[in-house]
Amino acid sequence: NAGVTQTPKFQVLKTGQSMTLQCAQDMNHEYMSWYRQDPGMGLRLIHYSVGAGITDQGEVPNGYNVSRSTTEDFPLRLLSAAPSQTSVYFCASSYSFRISYNEQFFGPGTRLTVL
Amino acid sequence: TQLLEQSPQFLSIQEGENLTVYCNSSSVFSSLQWYRQEPGEGPVLLVTVVTGGEVKKLKRLTFQFGDARKDSSLHITAAQPGDTGLYLCAGVNTGTASKLTFGTGTRLQVTL
């Protein structure tokens, strides 16, 4: 199994550009989520999904959209990039959202810089 | 918004020393997880503690969940260079399923 994969690894955008960060998992996990990691702030939840066709907002959803058309894929869209969105983005998945303490598996991250 | 504060923020020690990392909150969590993250990679789960007062040991790492389930600690005995990394605690609430609230992180460097 490849686990959780993310593309691209690095990306530089200009203010106002849009882009999609890709995330895929091959473990048939029910729950998927997106976090951003900024220095001194840990990881903050952007959006999450408890299954195909179901998404919900996390702690910092503004400026981001998600969709989940399949169990495997959970792309994150930046609608109009802003310098405040410069961060490292992590996608994660876990077996079931019904189990509150199950392990979350993280992808390797996408380092995004917005100029 | 629930907050998990970790201390210290940075820790640089020599091989063989002992250390403790603290994770504190004013909120109660149903369980708490500890992750380790290495540069350029995503966090990897080390342990989950579920019961107030629970103590779990993984080789040289000892994890404790506070009696009131508001705090936790990670103690490393005889640190090794391979322990170097960013340590993150994450709280889980009953009813919010897999949504995690992450701590601010402790960056540990162990030198020879």
Side-chain angles (χ1 to χ4, degrees):
Chain A
N1 288 350
V4 180
T5 58
Q6 291 184 237
T7 56
K9 184 76 170 173
F10 301 95
Q11 183 70 50
V12 178
L13 293 178
K14 293 182 180 179
T15 297
Q17 287 185 316
S18 63
M19 79 158 295
T20 300
L21 280 62
Q22 301 292 344
C23 173
Q25 53 91 8
D26 61 358
M27 298 173 282
N28 200 31
H29 281 175
E30 192 173 56
Y31 181 87
M32 296 186 74
S33 55
W34 277 100
Y35 293 87
R36 60 177 288 173
Q37 185 173 33
D38 302 293
M41 301 187 74
L43 281 82
R44 291 181 291 168
L45 183 64
I46 304 172
H47 285 286
Y48 66 97
S49 169
V50 298
I54 306 170
T55 63
D56 205 346
Q57 296 180 352
E59 181 186 354
V60 288
N62 292 342
Y64 308 95
N65 274 357
V66 292
S67 61
R68 184 124 178 246
S69 57
T70 66
T71 300
E72 295 79 17
D73 299 300
F74 191 44
L76 177 72
R77 297 183 188 84
L78 279 69
L79 308 174
S80 177
S84 61
Q85 293 179 304
T86 294
S87 187
V88 182
Y89 292 84
F90 288 98
C91 179
S93 73
S94 61
Y95 174 69
S96 171
F97 74 93
R98 297 176 185 84
I99 304 172
S100 64
Y101 51 85
N102 65 161
E103 179 176 2
Q104 296 216 17
F105 294 84
F106 285 83
T110 294
R111 185 175 294 274
L112 175 67
T113 300
V114 182
L115 303 175
Chain B
T1 302
Q2 296 175 306
L3 292 175
L4 276 168
E5 294 289 337
Q6 286 185 236
S7 61
Q9 190 174 3
F10 300 99
L11 197 54
S12 181
I13 62 173
Q14 290 188 320
E15 183 180 18
E17 292 186 27
N18 301 333
L19 67 114
T20 302
V21 176
Y22 299 94
C23 173
N24 294 298
S25 175
S26 58
S27 303
V28 175
F29 292 100
S30 62
S31 62
L32 197 133
Q33 299 181 329
W34 283 92
Y35 290 80
R36 183 169 71 198
Q37 183 180 16
E38 300 193 12
E41 300 181 6
V44 175
L45 181 68
L46 294 174
V47 76
T48 300
V49 284
V50 180
T51 306
E54 181 178 2
V55 176
K56 277 192 175 179
K57 291 189 176 183
L58 293 177
K59 298 184 180 178
R60 295 176 293 100
L61 277 61
T62 302
F63 303 85
Q64 184 164 7
F65 199 13
D67 291 340
R69 305 217 300 260
K70 293 182 178 181
D71 56 86
S72 180
S73 64
L74 158 60
H75 182 78
I76 301 179
T77 303
Q80 298 177 358
D83 296 326
T84 294
L86 178 67
Y87 289 82
L88 295 158
C89 63
V92 183
N93 281 318
T94 302
T96 58
S98 293
K99 290 170 65 176
L100 299 179
T101 299
F102 277 88
T104 48
T106 295
R107 190 166 298 279
L108 171 65
Q109 182 170 5
V110 182
T111 56
L112 294 171

